[in-house]
Structures are given as structure tokens and as C-alpha cells.
Amino acid sequence: MAAARALAHIFHANGISLVYGGGIVGIMGEIARTLVSLSGPSSVHGIIPEALIAFEQQGRETGKPTPIDASLYGRTTVVKDMHSRKHLMAKCVIEGGPGSGFVALSGGYGTVEELMEVVTWNQLGIHGRGIVVFNVDGFYDGLLMWVRAAVDGGFVSEANKGIMVEARTAEEVVKALRDYKVSEGRFKLNWTQN
């Protein structure tokens, strides 16, 4: 949780807004709450599928679903499913301008799935935003080893090995987003055709 709070503080110090998965518990809830407390509700936009709202609210005092409090977590957009969530999150980040990007904090299957999707989209030329793995206490060491093995095995080109950038501190996350260089090996596909 300390890493999430540190990232919120560095986002606040640099005037960076957060688009995230809309969770109010765990790491997602912690970064959202902290950033809202520092920068105000307009600094955070959570996007969550309707089915996950009840899950996120389990264990609350009343046990009854309540709206996600914008004064604590920022603006929340409720969507119908996970595909809509990922699409809208990506759209918001891609439209965010220079320095916008995707940051993966420690997480489970969903985090890795969403991370790999934006990596693939970057490789395919769908977006050119930075992708940063916030590798707290070596959490993503195994994933980074896998990337090296995939490059060594010829599954990922040498030119694309840097699509994901590692950061070990909150300060490094912001620097990695600001300094992100689009990979030379990205596919040169046209995604604007009908």
C-alpha cells in the first residue's frame, strides 16, 4: 500500500491525473483515495463494470451496496462489462496527451491481462503511450525474466523488448512515462481504415 500512496503523492506533485479500474479496496482504492485527498476528486476517474461494484463493496458496515463516494474516490463511470471498461480506460489514457501512459502496480490475473493487452496494442501500433511496470519489491521480476526469455527465443523482437519499461520507485514511474520512447520494432499497421 505504501507504493500506491507514494505514486499518488508523486502524481499530485506533477499534476498527473489517474484513470483506473474503479476499485475502492486494495491497491486501486488506496491510490485513488490518496490522490483525491491531495488533488481533489477531479484528479481521479474510475471505470468499473456494474457486476464488480457489489464485489468492491463487500465487507462494508451495512452490507448493502452504496454508491462509490466521489469525494473519496473521484468520478466513477459504470460500464456494462470488462471489455467496455478496458476500452474506455485505454481511450482516456490515449487521449491524455504527452506523458500519458499505462502503469501496472502489483496485482493478479486481471492486472497482468490488462498489462499484456496494452503491450500488444502498442506493438501493433494501436497506441504509442508509455507502459510502465512498477516493480515494487521485485514483484514483476518473473515477468521481466519472461520478456528476456521471449526475446532470446525469438518470440519478441529485440526492437520490441522495451515496450514495457521497469520502474522501482514512484519517481521512476513518472520519469519513465515522460521519457518513454516508442519501440522501433512496432508493426506499421493502419488502424484507421474502415
Side-chain angles (χ1 to χ4, degrees):
M1 293 298 179
R5 287 188 293 274
L7 190 57
H9 279 270
I10 201 77
F11 277 12
H12 170 70
N14 286 275
I16 297 171
S17 296
L18 174 69
V19 175
Y20 82 113
I24 58 174
V25 297
I27 290 174
M28 281 199 294
E30 192 64 31
I31 191 171
R33 255 189 323 277
T34 303
L35 188 55
V36 166
S37 75
L38 297 168
S39 298
S42 65
S43 64
V44 175
H45 182 189
I47 302 168
I48 189 167
E50 189 171 0
L52 280 179
I53 291 176
F55 175 78
E56 286 290 324
Q57 295 170 339
Q58 287 177 356
R60 303 285 183 258
E61 298 81 34
T62 65
K64 297 177 186 173
T66 57
I68 295 173
D69 188 342
S71 69
L72 295 175
Y73 299 101
R75 179 170 61 124
T76 299
T77 299
V78 178
V79 295
K80 66 179 182 162
D81 56 37
M82 291 297 287
H83 294 293
S84 300
R85 173 198 199 183
K86 293 188 301 181
H87 173 77
L88 184 55
M89 286 173 58
K91 182 177 185 283
C92 291
V93 171
I94 292 166
E95 292 173 352
S100 294
F102 302 91
V103 179
L105 283 82
S106 303
Y109 291 131
T111 301
V112 173
E113 186 272 332
E114 290 174 356
L115 172 62
M116 289 295 103
E117 184 165 47
V118 297
V119 167
T120 301
W121 287 0
N122 186 300
Q123 178 178 282
L124 293 173
I126 295 171
H127 74 83
R129 296 292 178 221
I131 302 167
V132 180
V133 175
F134 190 4
N135 194 15
V136 177
D137 296 329
F139 184 85
Y140 282 114
D141 286 353
L143 177 64
L144 297 168
M145 284 176 46
W146 171 81
V147 171
R148 287 190 290 277
V151 170
D152 291 345
F155 299 105
V156 173
S157 74
E158 182 74 28
N160 281 333
K161 73 178 179 184
I163 288 176
M164 273 191 305
V165 178
E166 178 187 21
R168 292 193 170 265
T169 67
E171 293 80 8
E172 288 179 10
V173 169
V174 172
K175 182 173 179 3
L177 288 172
R178 291 217 167 114
D179 296 346
Y180 189 80
K181 301 288 184 235
V182 174
S183 171
E184 297 278 331
R186 289 179 356 137
F187 302 161
K188 305 206 179 359
L189 304 174
N190 183 351
W191 294 97
T192 60
Q193 295 175 348
N194 291 330

